[in-house]
Amino acid sequence: MRFGVLLFLLLNTVIARADLTGAARYDYIQGKEEELANRLVVKSKLNSNVGPFGIFVEGFGEFEGNEDQAFIRRSPSRGYLQEAYFEFKLESFFVRVGRQALRWSESWTLPSLDVWTGRRFNRLFFDPLSDQLTHSTGASFSYAKENFSVELVGIGELAENFYPVPIPETENEKNTSFGGRVKWNMGGFGFSAMSAQVLKKYYYGLSGNYAFDTAVPKFEVGYMNDTTPNLPVKRDQMFANIGCDLFLGNWIILPQISYFEVNGLTENEAQTAFYMTAQWNPNRHDIQMQVYQNPKSEDAFVSASYGYNLTDYFTASAFVQNYEGKQGLYKIYEDITGGLVMGVRFELTGNLAF
């Protein structure tokens, strides 16, 4: 009886908050010679807090009308759970348990320090970046002050990567993984250092940035040591990214240069990739552009889109993309699409706070 009274008083003294967001998006995407997608995507997100406790759930369902493309892109009509975690906050301490986004990099291209993040490469680059990503399941513990934070992670289920036909489907190896990251700010500079063990690979990385009024130059370097036994050639790899966030009025421009190593038949091969994204977002207009090129592998991707918020709840947009590749994933993308892609998108969103 005393416990029941105590629980009743506790529930009436805390403030419960919840937000439920829903969205429905229709995409029609046409390739150079055939229809690539005719689909409806329904999304929902729940964010609820009761005192120091919280729960977050996000997922979406896809209903693809083009069965041939659904087979090629391995993207059948089904539901996808993006994130689902419980959270506990106590002053500077945070604990999260479940499927969660652990993004330790701001890089769009690969490789990067996002060792816990996977990609839906089977969906090409049709989707917004948040829908392209997949996340790992585990527990994270963090302590954050104004100029310093430390985060420890234990992962029981790694984020999956998904690929289109004809790349074979693979299953993730089951193994517990661990990692940690430290972030600190000093004199306008922001730094982070990380280390992680993912299956039989060990990752080490360092990133930094400096914030000016209209520009934030940044760098990111990483090294991967592969301890898988009986490898025919050395598999250790390194990479380095240099970029800058530019804020020019209503424009946000993000150029980036990546230098990295890939596995060759007998030794690692060095490659350099160039990437830039630009966004113009005044009032209800939204223009976005992306350009990616890897001269060594002859991969290239270009995308431009324009969207207009007709109301606070409804957005209409159109986009055009182009894929080029001589081998590997971008060659498969070019074969699927014919190179040139055009699409229209209509999205309806709503939010319920209670």
Side-chain angles (χ1 to χ4, degrees):
M1 183 65 179
R2 291 181 179 178
F3 175 77
V5 174
L6 179 62
L7 180 62
F8 176 81
L9 293 175
L10 178 62
L11 292 176
N12 281 275
T13 54
V14 298
I15 300 176
R17 300 185 307 275
D19 287 287
L20 179 62
T21 302
R25 190 182 85 218
Y26 172 74
D27 297 338
Y28 182 83
I29 304 174
Q30 177 70 36
K32 193 171 183 179
E33 299 178 351
E34 62 178 319
E35 177 186 277
L36 299 175
N38 178 17
R39 63 181 182 174
L40 175 67
V41 180
V42 180
K43 305 171 65 175
S44 62
K45 179 170 60 178
L46 173 66
N47 187 7
S48 179
N49 295 278
V50 180
F53 300 95
I55 182 172
F56 181 86
V57 181
E58 180 179 5
F60 64 90
E62 179 184 32
F63 305 90
E64 174 59 68
N66 188 321
E67 294 184 0
D68 292 338
Q69 284 295 318
F71 171 80
I72 292 172
R73 291 186 281 110
R74 294 196 179 105
S75 191
S77 298
R78 52 161 290 192
Y80 300 86
L81 182 64
Q82 282 288 84
E83 297 182 59
Y85 62 80
F86 293 97
E87 182 178 63
F88 175 76
K89 301 178 182 179
L90 182 62
E91 296 181 349
S92 299
F93 291 92
F94 301 83
V95 179
R96 284 182 178 176
V97 180
R99 180 171 297 181
Q100 55 190 287
L102 296 164
R103 298 212 64 198
W104 288 1
S105 171
E106 298 181 33
S107 171
W108 180 84
T109 60
L110 298 175
S112 75
L113 297 181
D114 277 340
V115 296
W116 313 117
T117 306
R119 288 274 184 99
R120 294 188 176 92
F121 294 106
N122 58 324
R123 303 165 75 93
L124 287 72
F125 300 130
F126 296 162
D127 296 329
L129 179 62
S130 59
D131 291 351
Q132 296 175 26
L133 305 179
T134 65
H135 304 295
S136 297
T137 301
S140 64
F141 308 85
S142 59
Y143 173 81
K145 299 297 284 187
E146 184 176 356
N147 294 315
F148 173 82
S149 69
V150 59
E151 183 175 12
L152 302 176
V153 173
I155 298 298
E157 182 181 348
L158 287 171
E160 291 187 77
N161 291 309
F162 299 92
Y163 297 95
V165 173
I167 299 177
E169 294 184 272
T170 59
E171 292 187 6
N172 275 1
E173 181 182 344
K174 302 297 182 181
N175 192 10
T176 304
S177 300
F178 303 93
R181 178 178 63 161
V182 177
K183 298 180 67 176
W184 67 98
N185 298 319
M186 181 176 58
F189 289 91
F191 297 97
S192 71
M194 60 81 67
S195 175
Q197 171 259 317
V198 182
L199 301 178
K200 295 180 176 63
K201 298 178 181 180
Y202 292 83
Y203 293 85
Y204 309 92
L206 178 68
S207 64
N209 63 75
Y210 185 85
F212 294 98
D213 290 338
T214 59
V216 182
K218 57 184 61 178
F219 74 90
E220 178 177 301
V221 294
Y223 176 79
M224 186 273 291
N225 172 235
D226 194 338
T227 62
T228 304
N230 303 320
L231 288 175
V233 296
K234 176 181 172 63
R235 294 296 187 183
D236 295 359
Q237 299 172 357
M238 62 81 62
F239 78 91
N241 294 329
I242 299 176
C244 187
D245 298 350
L246 301 173
F247 306 95
L248 308 174
N250 289 319
W251 283 96
I252 301 176
I253 303 174
L254 314 175
Q256 176 184 307
I257 301 175
S258 301
Y259 172 88
F260 56 97
E261 296 177 338
V262 298
N263 299 138
L265 294 177
T266 58
E267 61 182 10
N268 288 352
E269 178 186 80
Q271 297 186 7
T272 303
F274 304 90
Y275 172 73
M276 185 182 73
T277 179
Q279 182 175 6
W280 182 67
N281 193 9
N283 300 320
R284 296 184 179 274
H285 301 275
D286 184 18
I287 293 178
Q288 298 187 34
M289 294 176 286
Q290 296 180 75
V291 179
Y292 172 81
Q293 184 179 30
N294 184 328
K296 185 73 174 182
S297 61
E298 300 185 67
D299 294 335
F301 169 67
V302 178
S303 176
S305 68
Y306 170 75
Y308 184 77
N309 299 104
L310 283 82
T311 71
D312 293 339
Y313 308 103
F314 184 73
T315 301
S317 59
F319 60 90
V320 60
Q321 299 177 341
N322 192 75
Y323 299 84
E324 294 181 11
K326 295 299 181 182
Q327 58 183 352
L329 191 60
Y330 281 81
K331 173 58 176 174
I332 294 174
Y333 286 172
E334 184 178 2
D335 291 341
I336 291 174
T337 64
L340 182 65
V341 173
M342 294 178 288
V344 292
R345 174 171 291 153
F346 304 97
E347 185 165 8
L348 182 68
T349 62
N351 178 266
L352 176 64
F354 55 94

